[in-house]
Every structure is written in structure tokens, then in C-alpha cells.
Amino acid sequence: MAARIVTRNPEQDPSLSSKPQPDRSTELQHLAEAACHRSYAPYSRFHVGAAILLESGDVVTGCNVENASYRLTTCAEQNAIAAAVAKYGPAIRIRAVAVANLAKAPCQPCGACRQTIAEFADRDAVISFPGDDGLTVRRTLSELLPAAFELKEL
Ligand SMILES: [Zn+2]
């Protein structure tokens, strides 16, 4: 079982930024924060950004796109994954995901996004997001979604 990891915010503790980060979480967090500014959120005003690191080393960002018919809203994580598939094709594999929001509010990926990430990621993919205390929280996909839906052939 993967270890639960909670990191301190590198911006609050610069010594952390020099540590090796195979999931490039600090870079991804900054890109996710930048993506927030491109979001379309006139209804909730909750601007969310996501950055995904692919196994290839490429990074793709996304943001939430709301709709007057609320249920048609697209989450930032799903937007980023759709953009990655559109750019690199259906064989993409996700190594890490970062989520941010302009409100700097606690913000974990929703259930639908966890399932969407699971479609393209191994169980040990790292997902980072703002936690309750303003610090960045890192979890593996298996911690956030221990029982992902899988379609088995009959
Ligand atoms: Zn979502």
C-alpha cells in the first residue's frame, strides 16, 4: 500500500523546493494555479485549474468551464485530460495531477474526476490539491479512489 504523504508548501519553506520531485508537484501546482485564471466560472466564481504530468514528461493544463445549465459544467481535471487525449492520443498515461483554485480553498478532485483520472493512470499516480490548512496535500490515486469502477469483458 502506498504511503500517505502530506507536504508542506514549498513557497512557505524554500528548502523543500530543492528536494527531488519525480512527480514534479511544485511545477504542476504553479501551472494549475496559472490555469485558474483562464477558467470560465461566471456562476460559482470558483475558478479551478489543473495540470497533469504524463508518463512522456509532457504537461497539459485545464480549467473548469461552467454552463448556464449547471450539470453541463466541466471540471478542470477532466478538461485537462480531454485536452491531453486530443493532443497526444488515447494512449496517454498520467503520472501526476495537481489541482488549484483562485480562492485557495480546500479542493479535492470530485468523484467523477477521480474516476476519469483512473481511466488513464496507475494506482500510484500522485494527486496534489489544496488542503484544509492551506497546505498542499498529496495522495495517491488508490487513496482517493480505492474502488474505481472497471468494465470487465463478459
Ligand atoms: Zn471534478
Side-chain angles (χ1 to χ4, degrees):
M1 180 174 175
R4 175 174 289 183
I5 304 166
V6 177
T7 61
R8 292 170 288 167
N9 186 336
E11 293 178 351
Q12 295 170 348
D13 184 355
S15 68
L16 294 175
S17 63
S18 62
K19 291 186 176 180
Q21 294 183 320
D23 56 34
R24 295 163 54 183
S25 58
T26 300
E27 174 192 358
L28 288 185
Q29 276 296 324
H30 288 141
L31 291 170
E33 289 168 16
C36 294
H37 294 280
R38 297 188 291 275
S39 81
Y40 178 74
Y43 307 107
S44 72
R45 302 190 196 294
F46 191 60
H47 299 270
V48 182
I52 59 175
L53 172 64
L54 303 178
E55 291 292 348
S56 64
D58 294 302
V59 175
V60 180
T61 61
C63 57
N64 57 332
V65 179
E66 293 184 346
N67 191 282
S69 178
Y70 287 2
R71 65 180 295 270
L72 299 180
T73 293
T74 303
C75 293
E77 302 92 317
Q78 293 179 52
N79 186 323
I81 291 168
V85 171
K87 185 169 185 179
Y88 297 107
I92 64 160
R93 296 301 298 168
I94 296 171
R95 185 188 313 165
V97 178
V99 181
N101 64 81
L102 288 184
K104 301 200 180 300
C107 179
Q108 297 187 24
C110 74
C113 283
R114 295 175 194 199
Q115 182 68 42
T116 304
I117 293 166
E119 187 75 18
F120 297 99
D122 293 333
R123 312 297 289 152
D124 63 350
V126 176
I127 301 169
S128 59
F129 51 87
D132 290 333
D133 49 10
L135 303 181
T136 299
V137 177
R138 298 171 74 222
R139 297 283 187 270
T140 63
L141 177 60
S142 62
E143 290 176 305
L144 293 182
L145 187 64
F149 175 80
E150 295 179 34
L151 186 59
K152 305 276 188 192
E153 289 191 34
L154 299 176

